[in-house]
Amino acid sequence: MDGRSRIMVAFLTLTKSLSLKNVTMDDIARQAGISKKTLYQHFRNKNEVIDYVVERSHELFANRCKSIIANAGNAVEALCKIADLLDEISFDWNRISLYQFQKYYPLSFDKYIDGLEAVHISMIREVVSNGKKAGLFRKDISPAIFANYRISQLFLFTEKILGGNWNMTDRRTINDLTIRGLLTEKGMEEYNWLARK
């Protein structure tokens, strides 16, 4: 792992337990197991760390989605795996850090939102469009609206609303119900086949 990647992992680890505002460059260096001098050779300040994390996380998500799409048997399988990936990514988010990200780092947050639109939303839109063409998803489904809706769900404070017992199994149940609502009869056959795998 190169130095910048190591710093990114350290930063993300810290933001799971600390609020974003309270993470310092000292904390990042200590978590990464490097000197502060080494950290400053890579990044001038915390804003640069945040910008790098935003850019790199979008790039990593795009690469994983491209791999999922290339290796999936069809759009139903691709959408299921991308939904799982989104849940995996968001499950450990510190919601206070997400709020602080928007409040205290608005330029970086705007870059993050632009990346969501350019990468996350476009990948889901592509999968749903391909699924419609293949007759797997209903014709009345708007790929753009569904993709925007699915990404917006990442920002809901569902754990607070639904209680402390909300977990990955619950998220998968919601994904199951959501995906079933998109499917044609042909798509449902593929979905049921995936469930038996």
Side-chain angles (χ1 to χ4, degrees), residues 129-182:
S129 293
N130 291 341
K132 281 180 69 171
K133 290 175 190 166
L136 300 169
F137 298 135
R138 294 178 7 211
K139 290 182 180 183
D140 61 331
I141 298 295
S142 164
I145 290 173
F146 177 77
N148 280 285
Y149 165 78
R150 182 59 185 93
I151 293 301
S152 73
Q153 296 306 295
L154 298 176
F155 296 95
L156 294 180
F157 290 76
T158 48
E159 290 82 357
K160 273 285 199 218
I161 296 165
L162 298 174
N165 295 328
W166 178 251
N167 59 35
M168 191 62 84
T169 302
D170 298 321
R171 287 174 183 241
R172 288 199 173 110
T173 300
I174 297 300
N175 283 340
D176 175 64
L177 295 171
T178 302
I179 290 170
R180 285 177 185 275
L182 298 176

Side-chain angles (χ1 to χ4, degrees), residues 7-9 11-12 43 48-58:
I7 292 164
M8 176 175 147
V9 169
F11 177 79
L12 291 172
F43 301 102
E48 283 191 4
V49 174
I50 292 170
D51 281 346
Y52 176 77
V53 169
V54 166
E55 291 165 17
R56 188 73 178 120
S57 61
H58 288 318

Side-chain angles (χ1 to χ4, degrees), residues 6 18 24 27 31 70 78 98 102-104 107 112 118 121 123 126 128 133 141 149 153 155 159 182-184 186 189:
R6 191 171 174 183
L18 298 173
T24 66
D27 295 329
Q31 182 71 34
L98 191 59
Q102 183 176 9
K103 183 175 180 180
Y104 297 111
L107 297 177
Y112 177 69
I121 290 171
M123 292 285 186
E126 175 188 335
V128 174
K133 290 175 190 166
I141 298 295
Y149 165 78
Q153 296 306 295
F155 296 95
E159 290 82 357
L182 298 176
L183 300 174
T184 61
K186 179 180 174 184
E189 288 173 14

Side-chain angles (χ1 to χ4, degrees), residues 14-67:
L14 288 166
T15 59
K16 288 179 184 179
S17 58
L18 298 173
S19 67
L20 183 62
K21 187 178 178 191
N22 292 333
V23 172
T24 66
M25 292 296 272
D26 285 328
D27 295 329
I28 297 168
R30 190 171 28 261
Q31 182 71 34
I34 58 175
S35 69
K36 206 167 160 187
K37 180 181 177 184
T38 301
L39 174 60
Y40 280 109
Q41 288 173 347
H42 292 286
F43 301 102
R44 289 182 299 191
N45 54 47
K46 189 165 82 171
N47 282 9
E48 283 191 4
V49 174
I50 292 170
D51 281 346
Y52 176 77
V53 169
V54 166
E55 291 165 17
R56 188 73 178 120
S57 61
H58 288 318
E59 182 184 320
L60 292 170
F61 181 83
N63 290 341
R64 286 183 72 183
C65 281
K66 287 174 186 173
S67 176

